[in-house]
Amino acid sequence: MHRICLRALLTLLLLVPLARTSDHGSLSSRAFVTGPWSLVQQGTTGVSAMQLVVTVIVAWGAELNINTQTVRALNPTSNTWCATGSFIGNGTLVSTGGNPIVITGASGLQAVRLFTPCSDETCDILEDPTRIRLASPRWYPSSARISDGSMIIIGGSMVGPVFINNATVNNPTYEFFPPKNINGFNGLQIPMKFLQDTLNANQFPIVKQLPDDTLFIAANQQATIFDWKTNTEVLRLPDIPNGVRVTSPFSAGSVLLPLTPENNYTPEVMICGGSTISDTQDPTTFSAETPASAQCSRIVLTADGIAAGWSVETMPVPRIMTDLILLPDGRVMIVNGAQTGVAGFGMPGEEVLNSVGNSPADNPAFTPVIYDPSAAAGSRFSSDGIPASTIARMYHSTATLTPNGTIMLAGSNPNPDVTKMNSTIKFPTEYRLEFYSPPYMSQPRPTYTGLSAIVDYGSVFRLSITLPSEAKDVSVVLMDFGFATHGVHMDQRSVKLVSELSSSKETITVTGPPTSAIYSPGPAFLFVVADGVPSFGHRTIIGTGASPPVDEGAIANMLNKTSDPSAETSPNTWST
Ligand SMILES: *[C@@H]1O[C@H](CO)[C@@H](O)[C@H](O)[C@H]1NC(C)=O
Ligand SMILES: *[C@@H]1O[C@H](CO)[C@@H](O)[C@H](O)[C@H]1NC(C)=O
Ligand SMILES: *[C@@H]1O[C@H](CO)[C@@H](O)[C@H](O)[C@H]1NC(C)=O
Ligand SMILES: *[C@@H]1O[C@H](CO)[C@@H](O)[C@H](O)[C@H]1NC(C)=O
Ligand SMILES: *[C@@H]1O[C@H](CO)[C@@H](O)[C@H](O)[C@H]1NC(C)=O
């Protein structure tokens, strides 16, 4: 049984005008707009949308202009399937790792692909494996943009496709882009014990940058706090409750709940779905009909919160391969995925029991759920007013918030493209896009102007705003839409800024994020939210827009000690 990451790199180019805003009062009760949602199927991705980054992202090297719904080809030379991605501090998207299968060009396992979005559609992916590459091969790694604006790349397998990790193929290390000379590892990969302890189901680990400048990492049934600056595991957290496994092929969704001045930027992580299937049994004995987990687990990452442990809630239906999307109003949309089975793509003859063609998952979870983290326990989940989709979004599906406040769903390829296969198989590769509009989309929207292209930490700036009449609760929220792939959502973040509305309600004075650990330097979308109705989110860059630190010595050492992977070929053969 193999999992194939088909190749892709679709970029959603957002032609986003730079900004305007408002914010914040000492709101005690939070306003949300209730009412009917709408769902439209509109446009296609042109490629299988396995990875999704707004202002960029994902599969087969294509860029989707979300405004015009046109697709243009990008030209990666290495296989991008199964890669991770993060924006770095200067606004460049860095995609690393990928698939060894050479369709055209090179193996993607050690690839580093740079893409700097542009508004004139002339930019393309830059690759130069003779100078820019990972120190070690990675299939199904994760990544995060860290507090110095660079990227940390964590885990994965040394080869691919691998249905489930094991000690032979595991890559229990992390590294940086650009490479760092740190803790005795001069540009090379650094061993991480947590990635040995979490075998076998530890691909695509869950990683969150925390406000105290450590990382939350979860894999399999375990979770930890890790400090890359000292290369130490600060604290092993309690296991995910009830034996639930949360990483590939038992892929759960996860989110860092909104950081706000009111909660003193206290981090709280939520992980939803996954599976209790054993990670030591032969994958061909898994069944596509085994129910996934319906569990959501939350933990507050303070001494008291960790002592209290995970709190457990139950979603309306179980989900595997779900994605959790932060909304500008502070709620979380739980979307996509299947109710049974596991993540992956079973090659002919290597399928799991009851597989649906190549799909080891069945029973798509068609109805999204809204989760309100601030509501009383027991009344946080709701699907009221939300129409179900009819499009299965399972393996290689993605979801993202858009700057306009809609939620875009794309992709799914449990089975190959029917137009190529000449069959009517259930769950074919999916090219249609869908957009969910929350009820706030049909309300009068706040608007703002005056956002500069770069907003530094602690800087004070004023936005001119137009509020719907009677608006009372006005806040300013910075969002990172992140990079979504395989139900893992790198770098997704919501940080509420301190702000003060003028008495005329025509301007709002906003203070940039307090520290680079609270919001890592790099791209952000700024929303003014009035009584639960967000403005359009205009793009800016937090920090200085500078490139992350470059250590030429570390790069030279890495290049000296590793070989150019672009000459590699793979014994694997799989034709799209
Ligand atoms: C580890 O995974 C690889 C790739 O799937 C497989 O070829 C190998 O047999 C596995 N090793 C063990 C000990 O299971
Ligand atoms: C944003 O959404 C509103 C409401 O649906 C719509 O009228 C407007 O055209 C959208 N704007 C963009 C840029 O998508
Ligand atoms: C699909 O298969 C059918 C039956 O074998 C054949 O008649 C038809 O021409 C095929 N269509 C395509 C597009 O290959
Ligand atoms: C951002 O930094 C990276 C790493 O140094 C560099 O390769 C890239 O060209 C930079 N992008 C821009 C737009 O300067
Ligand atoms: C690579 O390292 C070797 C020793 O390990 C050294 O002799 C050689 O000069 C280095 N080459 C470069 C290009 O740094």
Side-chain angles (χ1 to χ4, degrees):
M1 162 104 204
H2 289 305
R3 304 173 2 117
I4 298 291
C5 275
L6 302 181
R7 136 180 216 160
L9 197 95
L10 171 86
T11 295
L12 299 181
L13 172 63
L14 299 181
L15 299 172
V16 179
L18 289 178
R20 356 176 170 200
T21 291
S22 117
D23 174 342
H24 169 122
S26 44
L27 35 149
S28 39
S29 70
R30 319 220 341 242
F32 302 116
V33 179
T34 56
W37 289 54
S38 72
L39 171 63
V40 295
Q41 190 271 308
Q42 188 178 30
T44 63
T45 51
V47 298
S48 173
M50 176 179 68
Q51 303 160 340
L52 191 57
V53 181
V54 165
T55 297
V56 177
I57 254 289
V58 181
W60 266 111
E63 178 182 65
L64 167 70
N65 181 322
I66 202 170
N67 295 340
T68 60
Q69 304 254 333
T70 53
V71 175
R72 77 177 172 107
L74 298 175
N75 300 288
T77 56
S78 62
N79 192 327
T80 64
W81 289 92
C82 310
T84 184
S86 289
F87 286 96
I88 57 175
N90 60 15
T92 294
L93 175 71
V94 182
S95 157
T96 61
N99 197 305
I101 296 172
V102 176
I103 299 169
T104 58
S107 162
L109 280 172
Q110 268 173 266
V112 173
R113 309 167 195 89
L114 304 176
F115 181 77
T116 302
C118 57
S119 55
D120 61 3
E121 305 203 352
T122 58
C123 40
D124 207 334
I125 293 170
L126 174 76
E127 288 186 72
D128 181 358
T130 64
R131 293 188 311 111
I132 306 170
R133 60 182 181 245
L134 292 181
S136 60
R138 297 182 190 272
W139 190 82
Y140 277 30
S142 289
S143 61
R145 182 172 76 250
I146 52 178
S147 57
D148 66 357
S150 62
M151 174 189 191
I152 189 169
I153 305 113
I154 302 177
S157 299
M158 307 273 287
V159 299
V162 175
F163 178 70
I164 187 164
N165 216 351
N166 64 43
T168 310
V169 297
N170 192 23
N171 185 344
T173 70
Y174 66 98
E175 59 185 286
F176 301 93
F177 181 82
K180 291 185 192 301
N181 182 359
I182 188 168
N183 292 313
F185 296 87
N186 191 9
L188 298 175
Q189 71 274 28
I190 304 175
M192 182 187 271
K193 181 171 180 293
F194 181 74
L195 293 171
Q196 294 172 336
D197 295 350
T198 50
L199 285 170
N200 292 318
N202 68 359
Q203 295 164 334
F204 279 133
I206 293 167
V207 181
K208 313 286 178 198
Q209 160 78 29
L210 299 179
D212 70 352
D213 210 6
T214 59
L215 299 173
F216 169 90
I217 308 176
N220 207 339
Q221 295 169 309
Q222 285 114 286
T224 194
I225 305 289
F226 188 79
D227 186 350
W228 59 265
K229 297 181 298 310
T230 56
N231 188 28
T232 48
E233 202 175 330
V234 178
L235 180 66
R236 189 66 66 97
L237 296 167
D239 284 359
I240 311 294
N242 302 314
V244 175
R245 301 178 199 281
V246 297
T247 42
S248 184
F250 309 120
S251 314
S254 69
V255 76
L256 179 67
L257 293 173
L259 300 171
T260 70
E262 291 78 17
N263 68 19
N264 200 25
Y265 306 103
T266 300
E268 184 169 7
V269 168
M270 181 168 77
I271 300 176
C272 296
S275 178
T276 53
I277 292 177
S278 163
D279 68 339
T280 55
Q281 77 188 65
D282 177 352
T284 60
T285 67
F286 293 168
S287 167
E289 300 302 325
T290 302
S293 172
Q295 176 171 286
C296 283
S297 310
R298 267 172 81 163
I299 191 165
V300 178
L301 297 172
T302 59
D304 287 352
I306 292 165
W310 296 91
S311 60
V312 168
E313 298 170 85
T314 306
M315 294 185 283
V317 299
R319 287 183 124 99
I320 190 108
M321 298 178 281
T322 187
D323 206 340
L324 270 48
I325 304 299
L326 288 163
L327 301 184
D329 66 10
R331 296 184 293 177
V332 179
M333 185 178 194
I334 302 170
V335 66
N336 291 353
Q339 299 181 58
T340 61
V342 298
F345 185 103
M347 294 297 284
E350 300 178 305
E351 297 92 345
V352 304
L353 304 176
N354 307 306
S355 65
V356 184
N358 303 111
S359 176
D362 196 4
N363 301 295
F366 286 122
T367 306
V369 178
I370 288 297
Y371 180 87
D372 177 3
S374 65
S379 56
R380 293 178 183 155
F381 298 96
S382 171
S383 295
D384 290 352
I386 309 179
S389 174
T390 55
I391 299 177
R393 302 280 185 190
M394 305 197 291
Y395 189 55
H396 287 166
S397 66
T398 49
T400 186
L401 185 69
T402 74
N404 204 9
T406 59
I407 299 91
M408 185 175 85
L409 311 185
S412 194
N413 76 318
N415 284 300
D417 189 328
V418 284
T419 61
K420 290 181 184 154
M421 297 300 285
N422 185 19
S423 72
T424 52
I425 197 162
K426 202 173 163 189
F427 309 146
T429 291
E430 183 55 63
Y431 299 100
R432 289 170 291 177
L433 289 171
E434 286 171 294
F435 292 86
Y436 270 106
S437 289
Y440 57 62
M441 293 299 294
S442 50
Q443 298 295 308
R445 310 277 296 271
T447 62
Y448 74 89
T449 55
L451 180 63
S452 57
I454 295 181
V455 170
D456 209 351
Y457 297 98
S459 66
V460 177
F461 56 100
R462 184 175 302 165
L463 303 174
S464 300
I465 59 176
T466 309
L467 297 175
S469 55
E470 306 299 313
K472 288 189 265 307
D473 173 1
V474 182
S475 57
V476 176
V477 179
L478 268 189
M479 299 197 70
D480 188 330
F481 300 159
F483 177 100
T485 186
H486 296 77
V488 194
H489 216 127
M490 321 294 166
D491 298 320
Q492 189 183 203
R493 207 169 188 82
S494 168
V495 174
K496 184 176 170 186
L497 299 180
V498 169
S499 65
E500 187 170 352
L501 192 59
S502 67
S503 52
S504 68
K505 297 191 175 183
E506 287 169 355
T507 62
I508 190 159
T509 302
V510 187
T511 305
T515 70
S516 60
I518 289 175
Y519 196 102
S520 298
F525 291 87
L526 187 147
F527 293 88
V528 172
V529 184
D531 294 340
V533 181
S535 65
F536 192 89
H538 299 279
R539 186 174 181 274
T540 184
I541 288 199
I542 302 302
T544 62
S547 296
V550 170
D551 185 320
E552 296 294 351
I555 293 171
N557 189 55
M558 181 276 289
L559 293 175
N560 187 321
K561 301 270 167 38
T562 63
S563 58
D564 176 357
S566 63
E568 275 176 32
T569 53
S570 166
N572 293 305
T573 52
W574 192 79
S575 69
T576 46

